[in-house]
Amino acid sequence: MKKLPSGTPVEIFDTLDSTSAEARRRSEAGETGPLWILALRQTAGYGRRGRGWEQDTGDFAGTLLFTPDAPAERWGQLSFVIALALAGALDEAIGEDRISLKWPNDVLIEGGKCAGILLESLGARLSIGIGVNMVTAPQGLPYKTARLVDYVSPPPGPGAFAASLDAHFQRFYQQWKTAGFAPIRDAWLARARGLGSNITVRLPNRELAGVFEGVDESGALILRSADGTQTIAAGDVFFSPQREE
């Protein structure tokens, strides 16, 4: 089994149904991690709420399976940790000042979604799934998309990108363990798209509109509207048309 420079093992498959599904199977078989699972092609990739995630050969699909050294009630904060790591890896690939972060778990290149993150609790373990549009980007969505090949050609291969991503993750993960969520939240907010501007948050049964004020200690979005200030634990954020451009 190959290992990344950090010493974390990595397995690369030609084809999988889903790297996150494989992480679940490994966890159920007793694997505790840390372990990176990569697939050159996924046949049934998925994101939040079971939504399909399109991937073609050349795009990045990977899941980190590990046992966090923290109480389970803090694990949700790791979505911000991995978002910062992913932003750092993308900075290395295409240069700084192009990457921003969208609550709760998207990474953007010049305003277009290029990557998504999926955290799944597996009992005593956690899987963090990451999909990056390296060579393709889905069309027909209600938001902009982006792909790395339009900024660097050729884009990084899966092994090289996993090594960069893992290195950044180790750095931010150690900071999170030793200093808590506050510095992670501050670093995330420094890259947050739409902070201080009007947004719409779509919930399962309604929409809320207001000003994106930040995120609280749990990672929930803080929204200020005419009805007051409220926190939102989960939802889909949409920017004003001007900001989507």
Side-chain angles (χ1 to χ4, degrees), residues 112-199:
K113 178 175 176 178
C114 72
I117 298 164
L118 177 68
L119 268 67
E120 292 185 294
S121 176
L122 305 175
R125 291 172 278 281
L126 182 72
S127 77
I128 303 179
I130 296 126
V132 183
N133 301 332
M134 293 286 189
V135 297
T136 64
Q139 304 299 313
L141 299 175
Y143 50 81
K144 288 175 58 178
T145 58
R147 57 182 190 165
L148 259 71
V149 73
D150 293 325
Y151 298 87
V152 58
S153 184
F161 191 75
S164 175
L165 176 58
D166 182 69
H168 286 283
F169 176 75
Q170 297 298 334
R171 176 166 62 91
F172 285 113
Y173 179 62
Q174 291 302 319
Q175 182 183 42
W176 176 76
K177 287 203 305 179
T178 57
F181 184 51
I184 297 297
R185 180 180 60 182
D186 290 345
W188 188 94
L189 287 171
R191 287 185 180 260
R193 187 166 181 82
L195 186 64
S197 67
N198 290 308
I199 62 171

Side-chain angles (χ1 to χ4, degrees), residues 6 9 35 37 39 48 70 78 90 111 117 132 134 147 152 162 169 174-175 185 189 192 202 224-225 229 243:
S6 68
L35 171 67
I37 300 167
R48 286 194 311 132
L78 289 170
L90 291 170
I117 298 164
V132 183
M134 293 286 189
R147 57 182 190 165
V152 58
F169 176 75
Q174 291 302 319
Q175 182 183 42
R185 180 180 60 182
L189 287 171
R202 291 183 184 171
R224 176 173 53 83
S225 67
T229 299
R243 183 160 292 276

Side-chain angles (χ1 to χ4, degrees), residues 2 10-11 22 73 79 87 106 111 116 146 155 164 168 183 202 219 223 225:
K2 295 182 179 180
V10 58
E11 294 189 33
E22 178 66 13
E73 56 266 25
S79 66
D106 291 343
S164 175
H168 286 283
R202 291 183 184 171
L223 186 74
S225 67

Side-chain angles (χ1 to χ4, degrees), residues 1-2 9-39 63-67 122-123 125-127:
M1 182 181 297
K2 295 182 179 180
V10 58
E11 294 189 33
I12 304 178
F13 295 83
D14 288 334
T15 304
L16 277 177
D17 52 352
S18 159
T19 59
S20 292
E22 178 66 13
R24 180 176 294 277
R25 291 189 288 266
R26 295 296 185 90
S27 177
E28 291 172 349
E31 174 67 60
T32 61
L35 171 67
W36 278 100
I37 300 167
L38 311 183
T63 295
L64 173 62
L65 173 66
F66 75 120
T67 305
L122 305 175
R125 291 172 278 281
L126 182 72
S127 77

